[in-house]
């Protein structure tokens, strides 16, 4: 066979036979059309209140989770998602040339369970899921400076988006 065949036709033929690795997620949990987000439990008192929203963090997180998951499913009982925030921790993580703190690491340790009520099985669960958010507390670094309150809001947003992508979309 000619070199042209091997250069142009063979790669196309091999990709058709083997596929490209992409699997459609349109069938993922297609039997579920509703979800119930259980009240959020926060075990660490340091994370209990959201100063920016002037509300308890469990209410804020529950509302945001419900809004995000309701983009795919309606309120109901086909599936249930429960979440418990076990630990909230903030520690110094990066230092400047004079030993001053520049970078702070914020972590949330959570436990969650995603249950298929129709089939009576656990879709996914974790008793030690960690959400991490690093932020600078000084200006002119790789990313903009953030206050601890801004960082708390961002870690919640990132947590909700990551959980949604992992559980509802299976990315």
């Amino acid at each position: 066979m000619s070199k042209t065949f091997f250069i142009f036709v063979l790669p196309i033929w091999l990709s058709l036979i083997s596929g490209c690795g992409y699997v459609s997620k349109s069938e993922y949990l297609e039997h579920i059309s509703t979800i119930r987000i259980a009240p959020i439990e926060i075990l660490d008192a340091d994370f209990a209140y959201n100063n920016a929203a002037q509300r308890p963090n469990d209410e804020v997180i529950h509302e945001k989770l419900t809004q995000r998951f309701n983009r795919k499913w309606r309120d109901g009982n086909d599936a249930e998602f429960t979440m418990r925030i076990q630990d909230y921790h903030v520690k110094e993580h990066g230092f400047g040339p004079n030993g001053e703190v520049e970078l702070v690491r914020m972590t949330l340790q959570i436990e969650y369970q995603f249950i298929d009520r129709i089939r009576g099985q656990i879709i996914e669960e974790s008793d030690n899921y960690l959400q991490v958010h690093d932020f600078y507390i000084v200006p002119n670094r790789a990313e903009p400076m953030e206050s601890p309150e801004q960082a708390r809001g961002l870690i919640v947003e990132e947590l909700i988006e990551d959980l949604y992508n992992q559980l509802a979309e299976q990315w």
Side-chain angles (χ1 to χ4, degrees), residues 49-53 57 106 135 146-154:
Y49 196 76
N50 184 312
N51 290 330
N57 240 341
M106 182 178 288
F135 62 101
E146 294 174 18
S147 70
E149 199 59 44
Q150 288 171 315
R152 283 172 62 127
L154 288 171

Side-chain angles (χ1 to χ4, degrees), residues 83-96:
M83 182 170 75
R84 178 181 311 173
I85 297 176
Q86 299 169 322
D87 189 38
Y88 166 72
H89 193 68
V90 179
K91 71 176 188 171
E92 300 167 342
H93 190 65
F95 301 89

Side-chain angles (χ1 to χ4, degrees), residues 19 35 38 70 89-90 121 124 127 148 162:
I35 188 171
N70 282 350
H89 193 68
V90 179
Q121 63 189 25
E124 191 163 338
D127 61 356
D162 290 351

Side-chain angles (χ1 to χ4, degrees), residues 15-140:
S15 70
L16 290 173
I17 289 175
S18 64
C20 61
Y22 174 76
V23 177
S24 170
K25 299 299 180 189
S26 61
E27 294 181 18
Y28 175 68
L29 301 177
E30 67 182 7
H31 64 287
I32 292 176
S33 59
T34 63
I35 188 171
R36 178 181 177 273
I37 307 292
I40 307 303
E41 187 177 354
I42 298 177
L43 302 180
D44 191 323
D46 292 335
F47 197 71
Y49 196 76
N50 184 312
N51 290 330
Q54 297 183 346
R55 293 174 43 204
N57 240 341
D58 59 342
E59 291 177 9
V60 172
I61 294 168
H62 183 269
E63 182 179 291
K64 290 176 184 255
L65 270 170
T66 301
Q67 288 172 352
R68 184 63 176 115
F69 277 80
N70 282 350
R71 291 181 189 172
K72 181 169 182 158
W73 298 302
R74 298 180 321 274
D75 284 328
N77 291 315
D78 292 352
E80 181 176 16
F81 179 77
T82 60
M83 182 170 75
R84 178 181 311 173
I85 297 176
Q86 299 169 322
D87 189 38
Y88 166 72
H89 193 68
V90 179
K91 71 176 188 171
E92 300 167 342
H93 190 65
F95 301 89
N98 297 327
E100 68 277 2
V101 177
E102 292 185 351
L103 184 67
V104 176
R105 172 162 285 175
M106 182 178 288
T107 58
L108 286 177
Q109 179 185 352
I110 69 165
E111 174 183 310
Y112 69 83
Q113 194 172 52
F114 187 34
I115 303 168
D116 181 337
R117 293 281 182 212
I118 293 173
R119 295 184 178 160
Q121 63 189 25
I122 295 172
I123 298 166
E124 191 163 338
E125 66 182 339
S126 176
D127 61 356
N128 193 24
Y129 183 89
L130 253 175
Q131 187 72 35
V132 178
H133 180 75
D134 292 336
F135 62 101
Y136 287 96
I137 58 171
V138 294
N140 303 319

